Amino acid sequence: SPFDTVDRILAREAGNYDFAVMDIHAEATSEKLALAHWFDGRVRVMFGTHTHVQTNDAQVLEGKCAYITDLGMCGATDSILGVKKEAIIHKMKTKMMSRFDFAEGEMSIEGALFEVNTDTWHGISCKNIKFSSFLHFCCLFLLYPYFTPKKSRIISLKILSCKSVIY
């Protein structure tokens, strides 16, 4: 399970990193939240991806982990998953694949801003961010940690699927 796998990785790498960041790429919000509570205090920044719908639950958990269930997406506002709506609707109605062309028009960029104390490595805050009304879209993804001059070591964990977690 993802619980056991991440437990093993954190145990194996203990002492080799200052704080852990986890991307939980899963469909169900309950699975993401269960993982967040299990690893709260051992992972300092956790965020979900995959659904393309930003959640409104940015928070710092009891064990000082900054968390949001889903970051959202970067893409056309008037779309489904950033592609033309007709293609997704056709696929859902007919169960047949169709070409996924990117949607055009007004664009938005969604995500979260995480703040971590560099003395304790505790999550301080997590805030939703959303920029919209872009007529032209330039996609720039940055994982740019800003730290005090001391050297920091980060372990990044990505869970690609949680389908076997809850039955």
Side-chain angles (χ1 to χ4, degrees):
S1 81
F3 293 90
D4 297 333
T5 301
V6 174
D7 275 333
R8 281 194 304 273
I9 292 169
L10 291 174
R12 183 186 71 218
E13 297 300 323
N16 294 324
Y17 63 92
D18 294 313
F19 75 97
V21 176
M22 185 186 299
D23 172 354
I24 308 167
H25 188 80
E27 189 74 34
T29 56
S30 59
E31 293 171 345
K32 295 175 191 183
L33 195 53
L35 285 160
H37 283 291
W38 181 253
F39 291 106
D40 182 25
R42 295 183 286 158
V43 175
R44 296 302 184 189
V45 171
M46 271 187 264
F47 52 88
T49 56
H50 184 64
T51 64
H52 297 87
V53 177
Q54 188 179 53
T55 55
N56 192 27
D57 64 342
Q59 62 187 297
V60 176
L61 301 174
E62 187 176 318
K64 304 298 183 199
C65 173
Y67 170 81
I68 186 170
T69 299
D70 205 288
L71 293 172
M73 74 164 198
C74 300
T77 305
D78 188 24
S79 71
I80 300 172
L81 305 174
V83 301
K84 292 180 179 177
K85 297 179 286 190
E86 300 78 18
I88 302 293
I89 293 168
H90 177 264
K91 179 183 178 219
M92 290 181 165
K93 285 182 70 179
T94 65
K95 299 189 185 329
M96 297 187 66
M97 287 300 297
S98 60
R99 183 180 168 110
F100 283 4
D101 293 319
F102 287 110
E104 297 178 9
E106 185 178 288
M107 300 287 173
S108 66
I109 299 171
E110 298 171 339
L113 178 63
F114 298 91
E115 187 178 3
V116 176
N117 180 314
T118 55
D119 292 323
T120 63
W121 301 112
H122 291 169
I124 297 171
S125 69
C126 177
K127 295 180 176 134
N128 291 28
I129 57 172
K130 182 174 183 171
F131 302 102
S132 57
S133 300
F134 293 100
L135 293 177
H136 301 284
F137 187 61
C138 174
C139 190
L140 176 64
F141 293 97
L142 292 176
L143 177 57
Y144 184 79
Y146 173 77
F147 298 107
T148 56
K150 69 174 151 178
K151 185 177 178 182
S152 59
R153 300 165 298 165
I154 303 169
I155 185 170
S156 180
L157 306 161
K158 182 171 181 83
I159 295 177
L160 294 176
S161 177
C162 293
K163 293 183 181 181
S164 62
V165 175
I166 298 174
Y167 284 103

